[in-house]
Amino acid sequence: MATVLVTGGAGYIGSHTCVQLLDAGHEVIVLDNLSNSSEQSLHRVQSLSNKTLTFIRGDIRDAATLDQLFAKYNIDAVIHFAGLKAVGESQQIPLTYFEHNIAGSIALFNAMQRAQVFKLVFSSSATVYDESNISPLNEDMPTGMPSNNYGYTKLIIEQLLEKLAIAEPKWSIALLRYFNPVGAHKSGCMGEDPQGTPNNLMPYVTQVAVGRREQLSIYGNDYDTVDGTGVRDYIHVVDLASAHLCALKNRLLSTGCRAWNIGTGTGSSVLQVVQAFEKVNGINIPYQFVPRREGDVATSFSDNRRAITELGWKPQYTLEDMLLDSWNWQKTNPKGYR
Ligand code: NAD
Ligand code: WQD
C-alpha cells in the first residue's frame, strides 16, 4: 500500500478517486485550496469509506507548503488533479490559468524532485489531440494546438513532463487523457458541483431537471454527426477514478512517461444524451438549438484499448448509469455541497 498525495482531491474527480484509494488501503493526503470545491466533499469521502484522510488547505504554487508536506509525510506517489478548468474563463484570464496550471504544476514537480518522489499521475485531457484527427482518437495520433488557453496548459504540462522523464529516468509519469467525465457516486453523496453557470453539458442538464435553469441550449444542430449535434465520449467518474488506481499501480512498478486515453470508446450526441436522460429518469428536458459554440469540434471519442491492455482497466458503467447517477446526486443535493 502506498502513501499518496492527491492535489485537488476535494474536487469532482479527486473526491471520487480518494474514496477508491482509501477503500484500497492507501494512505491519502489531500492538498487543495478549495477554490472550486468544498471541504464537505472530503467529509463525505471519509464517511463513505469509513476511513480518514489528511487534508491540507493550501496551494500547489506554495513551495513552502509543499516542502513541509513532503517532509512530514512519507509520500510514495502524487496524483495531480489541482488546476483551473473553465474553458471560457481561460480565454478571459489566461495568466491566471498559466499560473495555476503551469506554474503550479512546475512548483509541484520541483518539490517532488527535492523530496525524491518521482511517481506521478497527471490529469490531462482529450483536448490535447489535434482537431484534424478522426475519432476514435488513439494515443499515437498527433497532439495539436488546443483552441483555448485551458487546453493549452494541459498540452504544455504534458510536453514538459515528457522532457522531464527523458532527462531524469527516475520519473515515472502517467498522462491520463480524460474524455468527458460525468456521473456521480452511486450513493448520491458525491458529485459534480460547479460554481455559477455550468459550462459542461451534464451539470446543465441536471440543473434544468431540478428547476435551477429553464432550458438547455444545444450548441449547433448542423454538425456532420448522426443527428447534427456534437458527439462526445462520456465516461462515468467512478470508472475514471478507478483508472487512477490502475495507473498508480502501473507507475509504482515502471519508469518513463506514457499517455493513456480514459474514455468508453463510444460517442453519444447531445440529443442522444438528452433523450436518454429523459427516458431513464422520466423527466422532460426543455431545450432550444442555438448557434455552435466557438472551439467545439463535431466528434470526439476515444480508442481506449491501450488503457485496457496496459493498465488492466475497464470501464464498467453505461451511459444510462451515468445519467441515473448524475440525476440521483443532483436531486438529493439540489444546491450541491452548499
Ligand atoms: P475540480 O475543479 O472539481 O477539481 C480541481 C480541484 O483543484 C478543486 O478542488 C480546486 O479547489 C483545486 N485547485 C485549483 N487550483 C488549485 C491550486 N492552485 N492549488 C490547490 N488546489 C487547487 O475539477 P475536476 O473536474 O475534478 O478536474 C480535476 C482535474 O482533471 C483538473 O486538472 C482538470 O483540468 C482535469 N480534467 C477535467 C475534466 C472535466 O471535464 N472535469 C476533463 C479533463 C481534464
Ligand atoms: C459536450 C457537448 C457541446 C453545454 C470540455 C472541455 C474539455 C474537457 C471536458 C475539462 C458539446 C454540448 C454543452 C451546453 C451543449 N475539460 N453542449 N450545451 O466541450 O466536449 O469538453 O469539458 O476540464 O477540455 O473542452 O464538454 O460538456 O462542454 O460539451 O449543447 O450547455 O455538449 O457543444 O457538443 P466538451 P461539454
Side-chain angles (χ1 to χ4, degrees), residues 12-13 32-33 35-37 59-60 81 85 100 150 154:
Y12 173 47
I13 306 166
D32 198 305
N33 65 5
S35 61
N36 195 40
S37 54
D59 200 292
I60 53 165
F81 293 107
K85 63 164 185 177
H100 281 262
Y150 162 75
K154 293 291 173 191

Side-chain angles (χ1 to χ4, degrees), residues 9 18 40 96 131 178 183 227 263:
C18 285
Q40 207 32 255
T96 306
E131 283 181 11
Y178 310 162
D227 54 24

Side-chain angles (χ1 to χ4, degrees), residues 4-284:
V4 186
L5 170 63
V6 183
T7 73
Y12 173 47
I13 306 166
S15 56
H16 287 82
T17 304
C18 285
V19 172
Q20 295 187 23
L21 287 167
L22 290 171
D23 284 348
H26 298 295
E27 190 180 333
V28 175
I29 321 288
V30 168
L31 175 67
D32 198 305
N33 65 5
L34 302 183
S35 61
N36 195 40
S37 54
S38 150
E39 204 178 334
Q40 207 32 255
S41 66
L42 295 175
H43 296 317
R44 299 203 183 168
V45 164
Q46 294 175 99
S47 67
L48 281 169
S49 62
N50 211 13
K51 298 214 174 99
T52 52
L53 55 73
T54 302
F55 172 54
I56 294 147
R57 185 170 185 171
D59 200 292
I60 53 165
R61 294 168 298 166
D62 181 353
T65 298
L66 289 167
D67 284 344
Q68 277 167 20
L69 192 159
F70 280 107
K72 185 162 179 194
Y73 304 98
N74 200 7
I75 289 165
D76 299 300
V78 177
I79 304 183
H80 177 32
F81 293 107
L84 304 179
K85 63 164 185 177
V87 168
E89 187 184 63
S90 77
Q91 297 301 94
Q92 287 144 18
I93 46 169
L95 268 180
T96 306
Y97 273 69
F98 300 157
E99 205 184 302
H100 281 262
N101 292 9
I102 303 175
S105 293
I106 293 173
L108 173 68
F109 308 152
N110 264 318
M112 287 175 69
Q113 182 146 286
R114 284 193 295 274
Q116 299 283 294
V117 175
F118 296 106
K119 309 285 185 190
L120 174 72
V121 179
F122 172 63
S123 298
S124 189
S125 168
T127 193
V128 299
Y129 285 110
D130 192 273
E131 283 181 11
S132 64
N133 293 312
I134 309 278
S135 292
L137 302 171
N138 72 57
E139 296 86 346
D140 291 326
M141 286 177 169
T143 56
M145 178 50 76
S147 60
N148 60 79
N149 294 322
Y150 162 75
Y152 178 66
T153 66
K154 293 291 173 191
L155 181 70
I156 294 290
I157 301 163
E158 276 207 3
Q159 290 178 344
L160 62 88
L161 285 172
E162 276 158 13
K163 292 187 189 309
L164 184 58
I166 292 168
E168 175 48 84
K170 279 188 194 156
W171 281 91
S172 181
I173 300 163
L175 309 173
L176 298 189
R177 293 177 177 164
Y178 310 162
F179 279 69
N180 290 60
V182 297
H185 194 270
K186 282 274 165 226
S187 62
C189 293
M190 294 195 326
E192 190 170 11
D193 184 20
Q195 297 181 358
T197 309
N199 301 300
N200 295 116
L201 177 64
M202 191 53 56
Y204 209 104
V205 168
T206 59
Q207 289 195 9
V208 171
V210 83
R212 274 170 71 177
R213 317 252 161 217
E214 224 167 87
Q215 63 176 344
L216 171 72
S217 294
I218 298 184
Y219 300 132
N221 61 349
D222 56 353
Y223 285 108
D224 184 15
T225 61
V226 58
D227 54 24
T229 65
V231 167
R232 297 290 182 276
D233 184 341
Y234 297 94
I235 171 88
H236 198 296
V237 66
V238 171
D239 278 331
L240 178 54
S242 76
H244 292 77
L245 275 84
C246 295
L248 176 69
K249 196 170 166 194
N250 175 286
R251 291 297 87 184
L252 288 170
L253 298 172
S254 33
T255 57
C257 179
R258 191 146 172 87
W260 287 279
N261 285 339
I262 308 297
T264 61
T266 315
S268 306
S269 75
V270 178
L271 272 180
Q272 286 169 339
V273 168
V274 170
Q275 286 158 2
F277 186 95
E278 292 181 322
K279 190 167 168 216
V280 298
N281 293 313
I283 298 170
N284 183 40

